[in-house]
Amino acid sequence: MISHLRSLWLVFKHMFHKRETVQYPEEKPYLPPRWRGRIVLTRDPDGMERCVACYLCAAACPVDCISLQATEDENGRRYPEFFRINFSRCIFCGYCEDACPTYAIQLIPDFEMAEYDRQNLVYEKEHLLISGQGKYHGYNFYRVAGVDAGVKAKGAGEKEREPVDVRKLLP
Amino acid sequence: MSETWIHIIMVVLILLVLLTIAAGLIYVERRMLAVWQDRYGPNRTGPFGLLQVLADMVKIFFKEDWIPPFADKKVFIIAPTIVMMAVLMSFAVIPFTPHIGVVDLNIGVLFFLAMSSMGAYSVVLAGWSSNNKYSLLGGIRGSAQMISYEVFMGLSLMGVVILAGSFNLRDIVEAQRKIWFFIPQIVGFIIFFLAGLAETHRLPFDIPEAESELIAGYHSEYSGMKFGMFFVGEYLGITLISALVTTLYFGGWLGPHFLPPIVWFLIKMFAFILLFILIRATLPRPRYDQLMSLGWKVLLPLALLNLLVTGAVVLYWHL
Amino acid sequence: MNIIFYISAIIAVYCTLKAVLNKHAVHALLYLIVSLLAVAVIFFILGAPFLAALEVIIYAGAIMVLFVFVVMMLNRGEAAVQQEKAWLQFRTWIWPAVFVLLLFAEWLYILFHPSIGAGPAVQPQAISPQQVGEALFTRYLLGVEMAAMLLMAGIIGAYHIGKQKQRTYHRYLEEENRLQTPVSKHQTSELI
């Protein structure tokens, strides 16, 4: 009986405590920069797509919500012909970001993506691509990669040696 | 003739005010529960979320009113009306002020007990007519709980009746001019309040509708306004028990003269309604057998003892 | 007042008939409750509000709930209705009807010959709860005491039935009980 009365009193005192609720639409919660929200495809400093369509993100995705098709432009630069993320399946685990070798796919702190029609949750490449570089500035895969895809000649990159001519490799 | 008309208008007004209070309690309860749990509660619809009541009402009126094909149709329809009628009839004997009240019945207390025993039927019949295991279990629990708690409720009331020397609620209030009855009848008050909690099956004792065990108990199959009747009936029950506690133990409309009697009555009543909600916010639900053994092994002897001691004291000192 | 009396009397008679004739047990009980309520109204009109309240509290409120409760628990369903239909034949009706008619005739005879009956009808006068209590504890004290004894017997019987030694309902628990020979009472109740 006494303990019941005490708990009644304790609950009553909660009237004067601070509210735990965040009044969401007016009062936004703080989201840290590495918060895992909506997925975007970023561009390199030259404004080209970073994605090289290696399929690693699609392979890493535990719910198979990413689908893409690789293709090449006339310079031999790989890029996705289409890149589709079904956000009604995405669980925002961030494995795709981990798997990405070129920092192309990134998760940003944005979660307000509710839709009335479920079909609208399937994002195509034009919805996913942003014009900036996302979290990793200055990184340009084709500048440090050993291939010539129209960005630089083979071996012209920084910290990159000239390609070895295998025909002259005799001792 | 004009007096009759005034009386009729007063009755209709009381009915309207009561239904408004009961509907408003839906909002008050949600809001207060939230306040005691460090939340805000409904605050989007209208100023302070006050229009939530309206929204809830509109929703409940426009829901599909479904009668399951396996139910006993007639009884299924009657059951929710019984609870509303029983509770609203009980309000007839409550004197809000010396002049506001529906009837001045000589057996007011007994009339209330009779009506609350009628209320048990709604639970039983709703549980049975739904033809559903959970409903039946809820109905059985509810009826057993309500019948047994009626016993202690009646017995705890008798102390007040002995002190006031009347079953008339007006006389009982008038008898409290010297001292409010909750001081000499503190045991009776506690028993009455607990029995009232069980009688309205409010949260610590909401075993007939325990959602973690019985889905929604006796009203699992109800929807639309039929469910709404049970819902509003429950809030009316809270109001009724609060009004009765006020009348029987806290001096009804009596109070210092700077406020009119009706205001005193409403203040006291709302304090008890808030206590009901606070208890809901605080206490967990006991097991069913714990509830029954609390009733029969603790409350019944206490109520009898209280009655005996009160009777002896009144006899000895000729109070 | 007369109109109210006749209305509630008609309701009481109709509902009692329905209670007898109805084939569905729960529906019949509901009719019986309504009939009890109508009788309570008649008591009220005749100047016995205390009795009316007790009728509603005890008969309509408590006892009938228990009846409904038991019928609910048994829940016989369609088969019981069929059986009831088979039993409610004209043949079974004849003798009860004859007896009731005889009683009715006697009643009518008394009604129209006041000299045989209790004399002129007494004017209804209100009886307060106090008067009822005084009558119970002075004139009818013996009856009250006997009723109390009967109730006491009921309570003792209920206690005896409820006190029966509880069995363990699971074979594993029984096994356990057999192994540990001296099982204290406390332990058994814990297991159950």
Side-chain angles (χ1 to χ4, degrees):
Chain A
M1 186 81 190
I2 298 295
S3 74
H4 288 138
L5 291 180
R6 184 171 157 273
S7 44
L8 277 179
W9 172 243
L10 288 180
V11 171
F12 183 76
K13 278 202 301 190
H14 270 270
M15 212 163 167
F16 310 107
H17 285 200
K18 198 175 158 293
R19 311 285 92 176
E20 293 285 348
T21 317
V22 178
Q23 298 274 5
Y24 162 62
E26 295 92 36
E27 199 184 312
K28 304 274 189 204
Y30 168 72
L31 297 178
R34 291 168 72 180
W35 205 82
R36 299 198 303 263
R38 179 160 62 90
I39 297 173
V40 293
L41 288 176
T42 55
R43 293 175 189 271
D44 58 24
D46 300 340
M48 305 290 283
E49 286 176 40
R50 265 178 180 160
C51 180
V52 295
C54 65
Y55 296 106
L56 280 177
C57 49
C61 183
V63 292
D64 287 346
C65 70
I66 302 175
S67 65
L68 66 154
Q69 171 67 53
T71 186
E72 282 181 13
D73 66 1
E74 65 276 11
N75 295 322
R77 178 183 175 124
R78 279 169 67 93
Y79 71 96
E81 191 180 2
F82 66 82
F83 197 105
R84 191 175 293 145
I85 297 183
N86 184 352
F87 277 110
S88 61
R89 303 186 72 176
C90 180
I91 57 170
F92 304 101
C93 60
Y95 285 5
C96 47
E97 189 178 12
D98 282 354
C100 187
T102 65
Y103 295 144
I105 193 164
Q106 292 181 13
L107 277 71
I108 59 166
D110 171 29
F111 57 91
E112 295 163 325
M113 44 198 304
E115 295 284 351
Y116 283 104
D117 186 0
R118 192 169 292 183
Q119 212 53 44
N120 295 343
L121 279 168
V122 179
Y123 280 40
E124 293 294 340
K125 196 166 90 174
E126 65 261 32
H127 309 121
L128 293 166
L129 260 181
I130 60 168
S131 52
Q133 305 175 33
K135 287 179 269 191
Y136 303 99
H137 289 273
Y139 178 76
N140 191 334
F141 173 72
Y142 280 103
R143 244 175 227 299
V144 292
V147 288
D148 174 14
V151 178
K152 61 160 179 61
K154 218 171 185 182
E158 45 194 287
K159 296 182 195 168
E160 188 184 3
R161 270 186 252 148
E162 281 290 313
V164 178
D165 188 350
V166 287
R167 288 165 219 274
K168 293 180 179 171
L169 208 58
L170 294 170
Chain B
M1 192 62 196
S2 68
E3 215 165 86
T4 323
W5 277 113
I6 288 173
H7 194 78
I8 288 172
I9 289 168
M10 193 167 75
V11 169
V12 171
L13 267 181
I14 288 175
L15 187 67
L16 284 180
V17 168
L18 283 176
L19 288 176
T20 317
I21 286 177
L25 278 185
I26 299 170
Y27 163 77
V28 172
E29 168 148 48
R30 288 176 66 184
R31 194 76 199 213
M32 293 314 290
L33 280 180
V35 161
W36 283 315
Q37 291 166 357
D38 296 347
R39 298 183 283 120
Y40 286 104
N43 62 354
R44 296 281 152 179
T45 38
F48 301 105
L50 276 170
L51 293 180
Q52 187 69 43
V53 177
L54 210 66
D56 282 352
M57 282 317 222
V58 168
K59 187 194 102 177
I60 218 161
F61 270 113
F62 284 92
K63 276 203 148 187
E64 187 188 357
D65 200 351
W66 190 65
I67 298 173
F70 44 80
D72 191 318
K73 202 173 161 193
K74 286 179 209 158
V75 183
F76 190 83
I77 295 170
I78 289 173
T81 60
I82 294 176
V83 63
M84 282 284 273
M85 274 202 297
V87 179
L88 282 176
M89 289 282 273
S90 310
F91 274 108
V93 292
I94 287 181
F96 294 95
T97 71
H99 307 293
I100 303 177
V102 180
V103 285
D104 189 7
L105 208 57
N106 262 330
I107 47 158
V109 174
L110 290 174
F111 186 79
F112 155 69
L113 287 175
M115 284 303 127
S116 75
S117 66
M118 286 288 99
Y121 280 112
S122 73
V123 176
V124 179
L125 295 178
W128 174 77
S129 67
S130 299
N131 213 347
N132 167 325
K133 282 173 200 145
Y134 296 107
S135 299
L136 187 66
L137 278 174
I140 288 169
R141 285 180 175 195
S143 58
Q145 173 181 339
M146 285 173 92
I147 292 174
S148 37
Y149 272 78
E150 242 153 54
V151 177
F152 330 130
M153 192 175 229
L155 283 176
S156 61
L157 280 180
M158 287 311 134
V160 170
V161 173
I162 289 174
L163 281 183
S166 169
F167 281 113
N168 189 329
L169 285 167
R170 257 163 236 260
D171 294 348
I172 288 174
V173 174
E174 285 298 332
Q176 299 179 56
R177 282 219 180 270
K178 256 189 276 173
I179 186 167
W180 288 357
F181 279 159
F182 86 98
I183 298 169
Q185 285 291 316
I186 181 78
V187 181
F189 163 63
I190 290 167
I191 295 168
F192 181 78
F193 194 80
L194 288 178
L197 274 179
E199 192 71 19
T200 50
H201 24 90
R202 280 290 299 173
L203 202 82
F205 298 149
D206 74 333
I207 291 162
E209 45 193 294
E211 60 271 76
S212 44
E213 308 156 26
L214 298 181
I215 309 178
Y218 60 91
H219 54 57
S220 297
E221 295 287 353
Y222 282 86
S223 61
M225 203 47 216
K226 289 204 196 67
F227 168 73
M229 296 254 242
F230 280 118
F231 203 55
V232 173
E234 184 180 323
Y235 287 102
L236 276 174
I238 298 168
T239 320
L240 175 68
I241 297 294
S242 305
L244 267 171
V245 167
T246 310
T247 319
L248 293 169
Y249 295 97
F250 285 82
W253 65 78
L254 300 176
H257 275 293
F258 55 86
L259 284 177
I262 183 75
V263 176
W264 277 116
F265 190 89
L266 288 178
I267 286 174
K268 291 172 190 173
M269 196 176 87
F270 274 106
F272 280 103
I273 290 173
L274 288 183
L275 182 60
F276 263 96
I277 297 171
L278 177 61
I279 286 174
R280 173 178 182 174
T282 310
L283 297 177
R285 184 186 302 131
R287 225 168 47 211
Y288 184 62
D289 60 322
Q290 287 170 335
L291 176 82
M292 287 316 241
S293 61
L294 169 78
W296 289 107
K297 290 180 185 163
V298 181
L299 294 185
L300 180 66
L302 266 181
L304 281 173
L305 205 66
N306 178 45
L307 184 62
L308 278 178
V309 169
T310 314
V313 167
V314 169
L315 260 186
Y316 191 76
W317 277 290
H318 296 289
L319 285 174
Chain C
M1 278 305 176
N2 263 333
I3 296 172
I4 298 176
F5 172 81
Y6 284 120
I7 291 172
S8 46
I10 290 168
I11 291 173
V13 170
Y14 175 76
C15 289
T16 317
L17 275 178
K18 284 294 267 188
V20 177
L21 294 178
N22 210 309
K23 292 177 188 75
H24 198 295
V26 173
H27 290 182
L29 280 175
L30 288 181
Y31 276 114
L32 189 52
I33 293 161
V34 176
S35 138
L36 284 171
L37 289 178
V39 172
V41 172
I42 292 175
F43 279 143
F44 194 90
I45 294 166
L46 291 180
F50 187 68
L51 204 58
L54 285 190
E55 168 110 6
V56 177
I57 294 174
I58 294 172
Y59 284 98
I63 294 177
M64 294 311 292
V65 167
L66 289 181
F67 272 58
V68 173
F69 197 92
V70 170
V71 174
M72 254 166 57
M73 297 277 274
L74 296 177
N75 208 0
R76 302 284 309 283
E78 199 54 36
V81 176
Q82 291 304 324
Q83 197 180 35
E84 198 75 9
K85 218 176 246 173
W87 281 345
L88 272 179
Q89 282 171 346
F90 182 68
R91 208 150 40 85
T92 41
W93 276 111
I94 298 174
W95 284 110
V98 168
F99 289 134
V100 167
L101 275 179
L102 274 177
L103 276 178
F104 190 65
E106 278 182 15
W107 182 69
L108 279 181
Y109 184 72
I110 293 170
L111 208 64
F112 289 111
H113 294 80
S115 53
I116 303 171
V122 267
Q123 278 299 309
Q125 90 200 63
I127 298 163
S128 69
Q130 203 174 3
Q131 281 167 295
V132 176
E134 273 165 14
L136 276 182
F137 284 97
T138 50
R139 273 177 67 189
Y140 302 108
L141 185 62
L142 193 65
V144 172
E145 289 295 329
M146 280 164 74
M149 296 276 267
L150 196 64
L151 287 178
M152 193 68 195
I155 288 174
I156 291 171
Y159 180 76
H160 182 71
I161 292 168
K163 194 62 189 169
Q164 268 182 357
K165 211 173 142 229
Q166 286 178 317
R167 281 180 296 127
T168 41
Y169 290 106
H170 202 282
R171 57 203 152 88
Y172 290 120
L173 296 177
E174 267 176 53
E175 205 73 22
E176 234 168 78
N177 279 355
R178 236 179 285 147
L179 288 179
Q180 32 175 258
T181 27
V183 185
S184 73
K185 210 172 180 187
H186 179 69
Q187 269 175 321
T188 351
S189 61
E190 280 291 292
L191 287 172
I192 295 159

